[in-house]
Amino acid sequence: MNIRAVVPFLVLLALPVAAQTPAATPAPAAPATTPVGHWVAEHTSQGGIGTWWDFRADGTFTVHIGAMVTAPVTHTADTLTLPPATANGAPVQLKYVIVGDELHLKGANSPEQLLTRVGPAPSATDPLLGKWRPAPPAVVDPDPKKAALQKATANGIFVFSADGTQSVRVPFSTREGTWSATAHTFQFNGQPATYSIGSSGDKLVLGQPPDNTRTDTYLPDPIL
């Protein structure tokens, strides 16, 4: 799904394909000798779709597939400026107010968006920074496709960082599975096929369906 398809129900983003950047690269980490932790795809599709993984020490994992975008933003005390929604368009400006742990966003021609803070605020002087989750819609759209997007959005995470970026994780689907520390493999629940787990420096290298002949690389997720 192209990120432009996400814009209608994520008015606060207005992120065009041209504004996308790869997931922020964290500071160098120790070699990935174990998959335990949060990992994000090093490369996304042109539409801003990618995967992020949560490998747990108990031998289970969850992988999310969805919108995964990082873009530059600027803000004043009450105005958030986002990249243009179209290739030749003007930057998008939204007014915002933060009341306690609630973020209210309002565009010139869009309804107000309400988000609630996730976790503690990272800055005592800049309340916009940190993780936010959209509130569920007050009214579910009668269109099944739009309703599905509304549901996905409510499970998303939006992160404003001190480096002047906004990062988005909106899962469209989720899969569960198990992994083996001795065999260095993983598999999805209900499927017999196994895929390799490896490393390259601080990157996690995972075999890919359908036959494990291709691999993709993953970085420690800087926002989860």
Side-chain angles (χ1 to χ4, degrees):
M1 180 180 293
N2 190 289
I3 191 62
R4 293 185 190 278
V6 182
V7 171
F9 72 101
L10 298 182
V11 176
L12 65 147
L13 293 180
L15 297 179
V17 171
Q20 294 170 18
T21 61
T25 302
T33 56
T34 171
V36 174
H38 300 286
W39 302 88
V40 63
E42 184 175 17
H43 307 287
T44 63
S45 72
Q46 288 188 342
I49 303 302
T51 59
W52 54 102
W53 301 66
D54 179 13
F55 280 91
R56 296 176 284 271
D58 64 0
T60 63
F61 72 84
T62 302
V63 56
H64 301 280
I65 305 163
M68 191 180 77
V69 179
T70 297
V73 297
T74 60
H75 67 281
T76 65
D78 64 358
T79 303
L80 174 65
T81 302
L82 306 173
T86 59
N88 298 315
V92 176
Q93 289 193 328
L94 303 174
K95 291 294 185 180
Y96 75 90
V97 175
I98 297 174
V99 181
D101 287 333
E102 292 185 344
L103 170 61
H104 300 258
L105 284 167
K106 180 70 173 65
N109 299 303
S110 62
E112 182 179 90
Q113 302 278 340
L114 174 63
L115 298 88
T116 55
R117 188 180 293 280
V118 177
S123 172
T125 58
D126 191 345
L128 183 63
L129 299 185
K131 300 179 182 179
W132 302 88
R133 188 184 302 279
V139 179
V140 177
D141 197 291
D143 184 321
K145 291 185 178 180
K146 293 181 180 179
L149 292 178
Q150 287 179 327
K151 182 179 179 180
T153 307
N155 291 322
I157 290 290
F158 304 87
V159 183
F160 294 97
S161 300
D163 64 358
T165 61
Q166 179 191 36
S167 296
V168 179
R169 301 281 191 277
V170 177
F172 298 142
S173 64
T174 299
R175 300 183 71 179
E176 306 286 341
T178 57
W179 65 277
S180 169
T182 55
H184 304 289
T185 59
F186 71 93
Q187 64 187 118
F188 297 105
N189 291 347
Q191 296 185 3
T194 59
Y195 305 95
S196 61
I197 298 175
S199 63
S200 176
D202 64 340
K203 300 177 183 179
L204 184 67
V205 181
L206 299 179
Q208 300 294 304
D211 54 11
N212 201 48
T213 59
R214 185 176 63 86
T215 62
D216 276 348
T217 53
Y218 301 83
L219 301 171
D221 196 326
I223 70 169
L224 294 180

